[in-house]
Amino acid sequence: MTPSEQPHETHGQPHAHSHNHGPAAPVSQHLRKVIAAVLIPFAAAVLAGLVVLWPGGAPSHERTGVGFDRETEQGRVVQLESVSCKDVNASQIPSTGDTSTPQGREAVQAEKGTCKKATIELTSGKEKGHTFVEIVQPDAPRQFHVKQGVVVAYAPDAPRDLQYSVTDVNRKVPLTLLAGLFALAVVVVGRLRGVMALVALAISFAVLTLFILPAILQGSNPLVVAVVGASAIMLIALYMCHGVTARTSVAVLGTLISLLLIGLLGSLFIGWSNLTGNTDDNTGLIHGLYPEIDMSGLLLAGVIIGSLGVLDDVTVTQTSAVWELRQADPSMGPRALYKAAIRIGRDHIASVVNTLVLAYAGAALPLLLLFSIAQSSVGTVANSELVAEEIVRTLVGSIGLVASVPVTTALAALVVSADRKAPDARQDGARPAGDAVGPEGAPAMSVPSPSARVTTGGRGRRRKR
């Protein structure tokens, strides 16, 4: 008997306490063995997959100097000077004065506008301290200011005066500050669980960068790598954040089943829709550098990994709902538990699916805007590979997300109801109020209700002591 269940004397009357605000009571030893018999082989298979597929690092290649595949250094703007665009754009074709087209407007600006002559100093690399000049056109989307950090591309095969050029600005300070604010918010609100969530996030990122990406570049099947990597992330994140419990194990099983469904549907519809996965400059560069990579498989791997984070949220929520309902009413059977928890799940589905679709639409907003400018029909837009890829990604992930709710809810209801201790409320750690156990197993006297105090002992209780 715990101290909270011991009877206490209050004004000469024994008073029993029953605290039910802690974590769910542990399930029986028998049920833990059944869950372990399922999850331990799965975890062993994931570990074996990590060992077999573990890469020795990303394979080296000769830099092409295109896109992200360039050697870069850090630099800083040390001086800005306003100059006539006509003087620094001597090689430009003279404008005709026609400003009715974008090309005509750019030509007029290049001839009559005021440009910026930026002096850039290298702050890293073997030639640290070296300076070069960058001309900034008046209509350029990125304008510089003095002391601004920039990213500098280095082309060793170019002429000396053209070896360095600015490709981007340095955003390390604001991004680092934002990440710090995020971590602080998580720790302040989540406390220890927030700390564990951040640790799990760091481990997930390590699995992604140290295993998934190098293994794909090394030529391993992207789908197999994604399944093994996502499973490892799932096991680490869920157990680290929510503890090694039967409740977490049910969430793991629900997530695994949903991931398998997403993999099957994704493989079917990516192949049926003839999606190549090679739709932009970045994927084209990857295919050019590593032609042995299956780009459609890479697309499917992205669908699986992208769905994992939302699945974790849904399965953990549904499992917790079933456990809490069982503790609130230990007499509920699996059917009643499922019906009650699925009502919670329907609300969750409505909000999460909308979130998932809007997230993908937001990421593809510039693309959708281009189609809108071209006044393309909805059918034409949806049929283009760029948009069709996002449609398949969104709908396959959403189907897996929707399916995870009934699957996880049914699993949780069956598991918690199959517990050998479940039918007895006293063994489940959820004793009804006023039914605490006294010394030697005898029932302790219940606390009378306010009405009972008035009718049975009200006169005696009103006497001054």
Side-chain angles (χ1 to χ4, degrees):
M1 189 187 319
T2 62
S4 62
E5 294 166 353
Q6 294 284 358
H8 297 275
E9 295 290 334
T10 306
H11 298 299
Q13 298 291 335
H15 185 85
H17 295 270
S18 180
H19 295 250
N20 299 318
H21 305 294
V27 296
S28 65
Q29 185 71 23
H30 169 74
L31 196 53
R32 286 202 295 269
K33 289 180 180 178
V34 172
I35 294 174
V38 176
L39 288 177
I40 288 178
F42 169 60
V46 172
L47 183 60
L50 288 173
V51 172
V52 172
L53 297 174
W54 191 267
S60 59
H61 70 277
E62 189 173 337
R63 291 185 181 273
T64 63
V66 178
F68 290 103
D69 193 38
R70 290 181 286 186
E71 184 178 345
T72 59
E73 301 291 351
Q74 299 299 315
R76 180 182 57 195
V77 180
V78 293
Q79 185 179 353
L80 275 177
E81 180 182 352
S82 296
V83 294
S84 171
C85 289
K86 185 176 182 179
D87 295 337
V88 295
N89 293 327
S91 61
Q92 295 284 342
I93 299 175
S95 69
T96 60
D98 181 15
T99 59
S100 60
T101 63
Q103 295 84 358
R105 287 192 292 270
E106 289 178 6
V108 170
Q109 286 280 5
E111 187 174 286
K112 299 181 179 180
T114 300
C115 296
K116 297 287 185 181
K117 183 179 179 182
T119 302
I120 313 297
E121 179 185 8
L122 294 179
T123 57
S124 66
K126 295 182 291 186
E127 293 192 89
K128 180 178 179 180
H130 173 73
T131 59
F132 65 95
V133 173
E134 184 89 3
I135 302 299
V136 184
Q137 302 295 332
D139 56 349
R142 185 185 303 116
Q143 299 292 323
F144 298 140
H145 58 80
V146 177
K147 296 184 179 180
Q148 182 177 22
V150 293
V151 179
V152 178
Y154 174 58
D157 297 332
R160 176 61 178 170
D161 293 341
L162 303 176
Q163 285 184 335
Y164 292 100
S165 61
V166 176
T167 60
D168 210 340
V169 298
N170 192 326
R171 304 180 180 90
K172 290 182 179 179
V173 173
L175 292 180
T176 302
L177 178 60
L178 183 59
L181 290 174
F182 163 72
L184 180 63
V186 171
V187 172
V188 169
V189 177
R191 299 186 181 181
L192 180 59
R193 183 159 292 188
V195 173
M196 298 306 294
L198 290 176
V199 174
L201 178 62
I203 295 175
S204 300
F205 188 74
V207 172
L208 180 65
T209 56
L210 299 179
F211 170 70
I212 296 178
L213 299 181
I216 292 175
L217 289 178
Q218 206 173 51
S220 299
N221 186 296
L223 177 58
V224 176
V225 171
V227 169
V228 173
S231 299
I233 291 173
M234 174 184 65
L235 290 171
I236 293 169
L238 287 180
Y239 282 118
M240 182 170 287
C241 294
H242 305 285
V244 184
T245 63
R247 178 191 293 187
T248 307
S249 299
V250 172
V252 168
L253 289 175
T255 305
L256 175 62
I257 294 172
S258 303
L259 281 178
L260 291 176
L261 176 62
I262 289 173
L264 290 174
L265 288 175
S267 179
L268 172 63
F269 282 94
I270 286 175
W272 195 2
S273 303
N274 292 315
L275 297 178
T276 63
N278 188 2
T279 54
D280 57 23
D281 293 340
N282 293 328
T283 53
L285 179 59
I286 293 172
H287 184 65
L289 293 174
Y290 300 96
E292 68 277 4
I293 292 179
D294 179 10
M295 299 303 294
S296 61
L298 186 63
L299 172 61
L300 179 56
V303 172
I304 292 174
I305 295 173
S307 303
L308 179 60
V310 187
L311 278 176
D312 286 354
D313 175 36
V314 173
T315 55
V316 169
T317 301
Q318 285 306 112
T319 307
S320 296
V322 172
W323 245 262
E324 293 301 325
L325 287 169
R326 180 67 171 182
Q327 279 196 296
D329 185 1
S331 64
M332 293 180 72
R335 186 182 296 272
L337 281 172
Y338 178 82
K339 288 182 177 179
I342 202 68
R343 287 194 291 269
I344 301 172
R346 291 190 185 106
D347 290 338
H348 206 179
I349 287 174
S351 60
V352 172
V353 168
N354 192 47
T355 301
L356 192 63
V357 173
L358 290 179
Y360 282 125
L365 198 58
L367 177 64
L368 297 177
L369 188 60
L370 284 177
F371 281 109
S372 178
I373 293 172
Q375 297 181 349
S376 301
S377 65
V378 175
T380 303
V381 172
N383 191 65
S384 67
E385 185 168 359
L386 275 172
V387 177
E389 184 177 295
E390 297 302 325
I391 291 174
V392 170
R393 190 197 310 270
T394 302
L395 296 184
V396 166
S398 297
I399 291 173
L401 187 64
V402 171
S404 69
V405 173
V407 167
T408 307
T409 304
L411 279 174
L414 290 173
V415 167
V416 78
S417 299
D419 189 356
R420 289 176 174 176
K421 297 193 300 181
D424 188 355
R426 299 181 190 280
Q427 291 179 342
D428 198 42
R431 299 182 179 85
D435 192 25
V437 180
E440 304 299 330
M445 184 177 295
S446 302
V447 181
S449 65
S451 59
R453 293 179 184 178
V454 173
T455 58
T456 60
R459 184 175 301 173
R461 292 178 186 277
R462 291 192 184 98
R463 291 199 302 264
K464 293 183 179 179
R465 298 183 183 276

